[in-house]
Amino acid sequence: MKLLVTGGCGFIGSNFILEMLAEYPDLYIVNLDLLTYAGNFENLQDTIPYGDRHRFVRGDIADRELVDSLMCNGIDAVVNFAAESHVDRSIIDASAFVRTNVLGTQVLLDACRRHGVGRFVQVSTDEVYGSLGPDGAFTECHPLAPNSPYSATKAAADLLVRSYHKTYGIDAVITRCSNNYGPYQFPEKLIPLMITNAMVDAPLPVYGDGLNVRDWIHVRDHCRAVDLVLRKGCAGSVYNVGANSEYPNIEIVRYILSRLGKPESLIRFVKDRPGHDRRYAMDATLIREELGWEPEADFESGLDQTICWYIEHETWWRRVKSGEYLTYYDTWYTERLGGKEAGIGRGE
Ligand code: NAD
Ligand code: TDX
């Protein structure tokens, strides 16, 4: 099988490629990634032993010519991880989100159509459903009600995928997963941001009252779900993915501090994220019952392993937390934390 994986140098894409190469000796992967601020070729160092079974192409999923040239070389299936993925950045400027998440998906779908690609997997998110009250969980039938520019572009992409299936008969499937954690996550997201800030005694910015709830899943469990959907999912279906692991943000932040032996005085309750969804929770009954998927990681030990990974990979995240990251950190956190404190978070 020859698979085109987009966004394979990001957090989930790189974990997926490594898992897939190890699992399937007959699999060849073309990895199309633009290497934006979030893409890091270092994440794929462990693919070296796999030789030509992993081929990296630097480029844009919205570049029609390039995508066409890759697809005309006998691609059997596409897994689309490539995206602008951070809600806060989409609040600062949504332009790149519209280009990559919406236009990029359309370009990939058009190329699949032209070249008769057998299967298209769109990696989407629980955020397309909007926000939940204190009870219940999102099923695949929940109406789409995205609240951030990020989630609006992901929802738009999902609708394009649906329409290409209905209109042109493209064999497409959508996964919608809850919040991932694990190795190689970019330290702008809650868990790696809190771990890496705490490690250098920088303040930990918690939005609002810290009681927003997220439903956490280990990245490897998400990757196994995407693999199952790729191989066995029913064309035209949506599959929710989640591990029934809901926690308020503040509980996670306190847990990280206790594991690192750092004081809770590092916590700062800061101005909330605009449009901040209160709670996400996924009902993953369909993928469990239809495809037999089960999450393996338990949250506490998965988080402990993740904390250890960031302790052991300090060179990795220190390199990542430089350059463009500093500009972003200043733009988003300076006012929230006060100039001097933001400086500590950027490593001064
Ligand atoms: P990430 O930001 O870590 O990685 C995104 C990757 O896409 C990067 O390697 C980047 O270089 C690449 N990319 C961006 N624009 C591109 C373009 N125009 N052309 C080619 N490559 C481009 O994101 P992630 O957390 O790994 O998320 C991967 C996918 O999973 C996204 O589609 C996201 O919406 C979805 N998702 C993420 C989570 C989560 O908790 N992180 C949860 C559910 C769904
Ligand atoms: O500094 C922070 N302080 C804080 O309180 C950051 C960065 C986050 N938070 C809160 C906001 C959320 O309630 O933590 C929670 C998690 O935030 P993020 O890590 O930014 O994730 P979220 O907005 O929930 O979106 C994530 O899950 C769904 C991914 O980034 C998306 O790509 C995915 O689609």
Side-chain angles (χ1 to χ4, degrees):
M1 189 188 204
K2 196 166 169 192
L3 194 62
L4 176 65
V5 175
T6 71
C9 298
F11 164 47
I12 306 173
S14 58
N15 276 282
F16 180 77
I17 288 178
L18 288 166
E19 296 277 313
M20 295 289 281
L21 288 172
E23 182 75 19
Y24 301 106
D26 56 345
L27 182 71
Y28 286 76
I29 294 180
V30 178
N31 170 11
L32 173 61
D33 195 299
L34 188 57
L35 292 183
T36 66
Y37 78 90
N40 188 345
F41 199 69
E42 251 186 89
N43 301 2
L44 289 166
Q45 283 308 301
D46 292 344
T47 60
I48 291 167
Y50 295 103
D52 69 355
R53 289 181 50 215
H54 172 240
R55 180 182 156 219
F56 172 63
V57 177
R58 185 173 190 179
D60 189 343
I61 59 165
D63 178 342
R64 277 176 198 280
E65 248 172 67
L66 173 64
V67 168
D68 232 32
S69 71
L70 295 175
M71 293 238 197
C72 69
N73 283 326
I75 295 290
D76 299 301
V78 175
V79 181
N80 183 26
F81 289 100
E84 288 293 333
S85 69
H86 193 39
V87 172
D88 296 332
R89 289 183 189 252
S90 80
I91 294 168
I92 297 170
D93 183 356
S95 318
F97 290 73
V98 173
R99 181 179 157 77
T100 291
N101 301 1
V102 185
L103 178 65
T105 302
Q106 186 225 340
V107 167
L108 291 171
L109 287 165
D110 276 339
C112 283
R113 205 181 138 210
R114 264 195 303 279
H115 298 287
V117 169
R119 169 139 286 195
F120 182 88
V121 180
Q122 173 69 3
V123 180
S124 186
T125 166
D126 55 1
E127 302 206 11
V128 297
Y129 297 122
S131 188
L132 279 172
D135 304 312
F138 296 125
T139 67
E140 289 82 358
C141 301
H142 199 92
L144 300 189
N147 291 319
S148 71
Y150 161 70
S151 53
T153 59
K154 292 297 288 187
D158 285 10
L159 294 178
L160 275 173
V161 173
R162 177 192 154 91
S163 75
Y164 272 63
H165 171 69
K166 296 274 181 196
T167 307
Y168 306 113
I170 293 241
D171 179 328
V173 240
I174 297 171
T175 60
R176 293 193 181 131
C177 190
S178 60
N179 285 61
N180 285 219
Y181 68 96
Y184 297 112
Q185 186 166 30
F186 195 86
E188 65 192 351
K189 307 288 179 1
L190 180 76
I191 288 180
L193 176 70
M194 297 299 158
I195 298 171
T196 55
N197 273 19
M199 280 177 69
V200 297
D201 299 307
L204 309 190
V206 175
Y207 300 154
D209 59 8
L211 296 178
N212 298 64
V213 171
R214 294 295 182 263
D215 186 359
W216 294 94
I217 182 171
H218 194 280
V219 63
R220 273 195 287 277
D221 282 329
H222 182 193
C223 291
R224 285 193 307 104
V226 171
D227 177 31
L228 259 183
V229 169
L230 166 68
R231 282 162 196 276
K232 299 188 178 150
C234 176
S237 290
V238 173
Y239 294 93
N240 283 355
V241 183
N244 290 333
S245 204
E246 287 182 59
Y247 293 90
N249 295 333
I250 189 65
E251 222 177 279
I252 290 183
V253 173
R254 290 203 170 109
Y255 184 83
I256 291 170
L257 285 170
S258 76
R259 281 316 213 207
L260 290 171
K262 299 286 182 172
E264 288 197 6
S265 56
L266 286 174
I267 296 172
R268 301 285 180 281
F269 289 95
V270 300
K271 189 173 87 179
D272 210 349
R273 167 191 283 176
H276 194 177
D277 289 331
R278 191 62 171 172
R279 176 173 164 258
Y280 302 140
M282 284 307 236
D283 180 338
T285 307
L286 182 67
I287 190 169
R288 284 173 188 258
E289 290 188 353
E290 195 178 297
L291 305 183
W293 175 83
E294 284 296 331
E296 285 171 1
D298 134 87
F299 184 64
E300 202 171 298
S301 43
L303 185 52
D304 287 347
Q305 284 162 18
T306 303
I307 294 170
C308 289
W309 189 88
Y310 281 89
I311 292 171
E312 284 160 10
H313 291 77
E314 188 162 341
T315 321
W316 179 88
W317 63 257
R318 278 193 183 276
R319 246 200 302 276
V320 169
K321 278 186 141 185
S322 62
E324 188 276 346
Y325 180 88
L326 304 182
T327 312
Y328 161 71
Y329 202 87
D330 281 347
T331 308
W332 189 253
Y333 290 107
T334 297
E335 191 199 321
R336 284 184 163 78
L337 286 169
K340 193 160 170 279
E341 288 217 319
I344 309 170
R346 59 205 289 287
E348 285 169 4

